[in-house]
Amino acid sequence: MTDLEALIAGPWGAPIAIAAMALATFLCRIAGAVVMSRVNITPRIERGLRALPGSIIMATILPIVLDKGPTAALGLMATIVAMVLTRKELVGLAAGLGTMTLIRALGF
């Protein structure tokens, strides 16, 4: 085992990994701010930036829905309906989880 492997496998492995991830996150955020400070924001770029959060959410949720099937799709639909009607995240979360729990309790 090399010195680096011993260090990573030892008690300092987790703190080193956490510090490395924190540094990577910080550098990504700083790089984004530096790059965007040099970009002329046109209406087209602004529309793209406004659509980005929804795209990230869909990229996160869609694989889960495809993997878990109709139960997850119905839970997601319940979440969307609740969020549109109430504009409250906790209500959407409760509606989605409640729907999935009920469907699974019924044996589907």
Side-chain angles (χ1 to χ4, degrees), residues 74-95:
L74 289 172
L76 180 60
M77 285 188 268
T79 300
I80 292 170
V81 169
M83 290 281 296
V84 167
L85 294 176
T86 65
R87 302 269 186 212
K88 294 183 180 178
E89 291 87 6
L90 288 177
V91 173
L93 178 67

Side-chain angles (χ1 to χ4, degrees), residues 12 14 20 23 43 45 48 52 56-57 61 64 71-72 79 83-84 90 92 95:
W12 286 101
L23 179 64
I45 292 175
L52 196 56
I56 292 170
I57 290 171
I61 292 175
I64 296 169
T71 304
T79 300
M83 290 281 296
V84 167
L90 288 177

Side-chain angles (χ1 to χ4, degrees), residues 31-57:
V34 168
V35 168
M36 289 309 293
S37 70
R38 291 167 170 45
V39 172
N40 190 14
I41 305 294
T42 64
R44 183 176 181 182
I45 292 175
E46 186 174 351
R47 282 192 311 273
L49 290 173
R50 287 186 192 273
L52 196 56
S55 300
I56 292 170
I57 290 171

